[in-house]
Amino acid sequence: MTAIVRLENVAAEVGGRRLLSDVDLRVDAGEFVALLGPNGAGKSTLIRMLLGLHPVAAGRITVLDRLPAQARQDVGYLPQRRRFDPDLRVRASDLVRLGLDGNHWGFPLPFKRNRTAAERVSEVIELVAATAFADRPIGELSGGEQQRILIAQALVRRPQLLLLDEPLDSLDLPTQSSIAALLSDICTNQEVSIVMVAHDVNPIMSYLDRIAYLASGKAVVGTPAEVITGPTLSALYGTPIEVLHAADGSLVVVGQPEPPAVHSDRHHSDGHHHEYDRDPRRPHSH
Amino acid sequence: MNSFPSPHLSWNVVTDVRALLEYPFMVQAFRAGLLVAVLAGVVGWFMVLRRQSFAGHTLAVVGFPGATAAVLIGVSSTYGFFAFSVGAAIFISMLPNAGGSRSAESAVVGTVQAFALAFGFLCYTWYGGFATSIGALLFGSFLGITTSQVGALVVVTLLAIGLLAAIGRPLYFATVDPDVALANGVPVQALGTTYLIVLGLTAGAVSQITGALLVFALLVAPAAAAQRISVRPHISLAWSVGLAISIVLISLTLSYYYPYPLGTFVTTIALLTYLIVRVVRR
Ligand SMILES: Nc1ncnc2c1ncn2[C@@H]1O[C@H](COP(=O)(O)OP(=O)(O)OP(=O)(O)O)[C@@H](O)[C@H]1O
Ligand SMILES: [Mg+2]
């Protein structure tokens, strides 16, 4: 089986500063992999490297056996984002449609309806259960509704790889688990590989094949059971860290700078800065 | 016929329009107005979507010193409007984070705007008063539009609309969703630059009818109203052009019958149109 994504000794630099080094990761067809780590660890940077939007400082990245920039056609991307402007007068379904053919030149003429494209758009909107609000302006939709539309947009070209940067960000818990289930379903039934950045591993824990945990300029890769353990995380951070198992099976990480496994009600101030709950002892609840 | 038969508006629109089309200068004005309206309707639609109204206004205002400088060196103000507006578009697109109205450059660009007005007025004083009044350059006029001016407008309109037709879809994508557009291989930066140059051409063209200061009204109001009317891109684009044409035609007619500057009518009707749509569609 050929690897969908392969990183060999990869280093990442932002503004001349080394963020990550010696990252090795392989993602196979139909695998669901999470990228975890504290704010500023380089998760989004790594995703952008997989798209060929950020240079590789050292090592080698191949996506679908090609250079990242040449594989974009077969990759779906959901950026880490702010909400859409409430005043943006663009229909949600048009946004999905742009994911399909928005990169084509020309101006689509209204009387030249493309039936297959329109069908694909409504099919994928139905897949993410967004049909009810697909004709409304995107800015008027709630965060969760927007997120579903964006997942549809990322899926619409039938990509072989989905790169999702915090798709569960700012969603309520039931929506988080339903989207997690949806993604896992896409993974297994449509043989799509997913690399997904998350701050809270619990909603996706049971679906994950592997975790790449980024911190302190390094990455630890393994199954959830291997990575989310006291010893592994302690070694990664260089400080003692404990992983507690809550009664409902979810994990709570205690003692690190930022708790990735605890729900944190973060609020956006802008695209890059989050306020988050820094209390690691706050119990996790479902 | 060398004097106006003291025109007044009757309630018979057909007679009114027929009366003013008997004058070649009015026919010329309607031709120019139509071209400018179509251009403003289409280019303004993208401008409103891209939130580049500030850039649009700047490009128009910069045309004013272009026009006065052109007259000063003895060429048509038409060339001055175009040269300066397009030049400014190229300049702004080279600034980092080009065109964003919230960017730090907005302070610089605002200062340039003020300087442009002052410099334009300086050229005017040097020349010691023009045949073309300064009021016309700033607030618009429909008198004395030449055939070559209309010719230039035809070329610019075809060029701008042709360009937008070629890049329309990726430009729309890059506008509403730049991150994903970039990841899908859309040349977001290059499209932004191209659009800004088209906006410069448009500002230069519209200035010749509405004057440099009032270009804004024709670029913003029809497009913003149209985007309220429909979220479907084709329908709202059609509305934008339709409203722009109506605004210009009504303004030209009124300014023939009433002795007020053309720009006053354009801005008043544009504002009213937008307000009515805002009230009705909400
Ligand atoms: N354009 C930029 N210029 C300079 N530094 C940047 C830029 N983009 C990101 N960085 C820096 O690179 C580092 C990694 O950023 P990145 O967005 O990859 O982090 P992340 O792991 O995704 O964090 P978060 O959880 O907050 O999304 C941060 O320290 C950030 O400040
Ligand atoms: Mg990030």
Side-chain angles (χ1 to χ4, degrees), chain A residues 140-200:
Chain A
E140 287 178 10
L141 301 183
S142 79
E145 290 167 341
Q146 289 187 12
Q147 213 66 297
R148 279 173 194 269
I149 292 294
L150 295 175
I151 292 171
Q153 187 196 43
L155 277 172
V156 70
R157 272 200 282 184
R158 304 180 196 281
Q160 286 174 266
L161 170 67
L162 276 182
L163 300 175
L164 309 174
D165 201 341
E166 302 201 24
L168 305 184
D169 190 37
S170 76
L171 302 184
D172 60 26
L173 290 180
T175 312
Q176 285 196 10
S177 30
S178 71
I179 288 188
L182 167 76
L183 290 174
S184 145
D185 195 57
I186 290 163
C187 237
T188 39
N189 294 336
Q190 320 211 355
E191 276 278 296
V192 174
S193 309
I194 299 184
V195 175
M196 168 170 155
V197 177
H199 265 275
D200 180 2

Side-chain angles (χ1 to χ4, degrees), chain B residues 139-229:
Chain B
F139 299 105
S141 163
F142 61 100
L143 295 167
I145 291 169
T146 61
T147 313
S148 73
Q149 222 173 338
V150 173
L153 288 179
V154 170
V155 171
V156 166
T157 306
L158 288 180
L159 190 69
I161 304 239
L163 257 174
L164 285 184
I167 66 172
R169 177 161 34 192
L171 180 65
Y172 187 63
F173 196 6
T175 299
V176 300
D177 202 355
D179 295 339
V180 176
L182 191 64
N184 282 11
V186 173
V188 175
Q189 188 86 35
L191 287 176
T193 304
T194 310
Y195 176 72
L196 212 58
I197 291 170
V198 169
L199 187 58
L201 274 175
T202 305
V206 179
S207 295
Q208 320 204 4
I209 294 293
T210 64
L213 285 182
L214 306 180
V215 166
F216 202 53
L218 204 54
L219 278 174
V220 172
Q227 288 178 16
R228 278 276 134 201
I229 292 172

Side-chain angles (χ1 to χ4, degrees), chain A residues 51 53 72 77 79 81-82 84-85 87-91 94-95 98-99 101-110 137 140 153 157, chain B residues 46 49 51 164-170 172-173 176-180 182-187 191 227-228 231-234 237 282:
Chain A
L51 285 161
L53 295 176
R72 282 176 193 161
Y77 174 45
R81 66 172 83 212
R82 75 298 155 198
F84 283 95
D85 190 333
D87 265 351
L88 187 65
R89 306 286 295 164
V90 172
R91 272 189 308 175
D94 284 337
L95 205 71
L98 283 172
D101 57 15
N103 56 342
H104 295 189
W105 295 105
F107 191 85
L109 297 171
E140 287 178 10
Q153 187 196 43
R157 272 200 282 184
Chain B
F46 278 101
L49 201 66
R51 310 269 189 273
L164 285 184
I167 66 172
R169 177 161 34 192
Y172 187 63
F173 196 6
V176 300
D177 202 355
D179 295 339
V180 176
L182 191 64
N184 282 11
V186 173
L191 287 176
Q227 288 178 16
R228 278 276 134 201
V231 275
R232 291 166 190 266
H234 293 113
L237 191 55
R282 166 68 353 178

Side-chain angles (χ1 to χ4, degrees), chain A residues 5-245:
Chain A
V5 175
R6 198 196 302 267
L7 282 83
E8 289 161 7
N9 285 317
V10 167
E13 276 176 12
V14 175
R17 190 166 55 94
R18 178 74 47 127
L19 265 185
L20 291 167
S21 37
D22 294 326
V23 180
D24 286 292
L25 176 66
R26 184 193 155 108
V27 180
D28 288 322
E31 274 194 315
F32 193 164
V33 176
L35 280 185
L36 305 178
N39 288 134
K43 304 180 295 294
S44 301
T45 307
L46 202 59
I47 294 280
R48 290 170 51 76
M49 285 163 81
L50 292 175
L51 285 161
L53 295 176
H54 191 90
V56 180
R60 213 164 83 93
I61 297 185
T62 52
V63 176
L64 300 162
D65 289 324
R66 283 167 266 169
L67 285 175
Q70 280 150 17
R72 282 176 193 161
Q73 188 64 32
D74 299 307
V75 177
Y77 174 45
L78 187 152
Q80 178 175 10
R81 66 172 83 212
R82 75 298 155 198
R83 300 281 177 73
F84 283 95
D85 190 333
D87 265 351
L88 187 65
R89 306 286 295 164
V90 172
R91 272 189 308 175
S93 56
D94 284 337
L95 205 71
V96 177
R97 175 65 184 264
L98 283 172
L100 186 66
D101 57 15
N103 56 342
H104 295 189
W105 295 105
F107 191 85
L109 297 171
F111 45 85
K112 251 178 73 185
R113 290 240 163 271
N114 182 339
R115 192 169 271 274
T116 29
E119 269 166 17
R120 175 64 188 151
V121 168
S122 43
E123 181 183 298
V124 79
I125 285 175
E126 189 153 342
L127 185 69
V128 298
T131 312
F133 46 83
D135 280 335
R136 288 176 40 203
I138 186 82
E140 287 178 10
L141 301 183
S142 79
E145 290 167 341
Q146 289 187 12
Q147 213 66 297
R148 279 173 194 269
I149 292 294
L150 295 175
I151 292 171
Q153 187 196 43
L155 277 172
V156 70
R157 272 200 282 184
R158 304 180 196 281
Q160 286 174 266
L161 170 67
L162 276 182
L163 300 175
L164 309 174
D165 201 341
E166 302 201 24
L168 305 184
D169 190 37
S170 76
L171 302 184
D172 60 26
L173 290 180
T175 312
Q176 285 196 10
S177 30
S178 71
I179 288 188
L182 167 76
L183 290 174
S184 145
D185 195 57
I186 290 163
C187 237
T188 39
N189 294 336
Q190 320 211 355
E191 276 278 296
V192 174
S193 309
I194 299 184
V195 175
M196 168 170 155
V197 177
H199 265 275
D200 180 2
V201 71
N202 284 313
I204 47 174
M205 185 70 115
S206 55
Y207 309 116
L208 287 179
D209 295 303
R210 237 121 30 78
I211 286 177
Y213 201 111
L214 312 183
S216 325
K218 289 167 292 184
V220 177
V221 180
T223 62
E226 288 163 4
V227 175
I228 311 288
T229 64
T232 310
L233 294 183
S234 303
L236 191 59
Y237 279 98
T239 63
I241 283 169
E242 253 186 283
V243 175
L244 307 178
H245 293 258

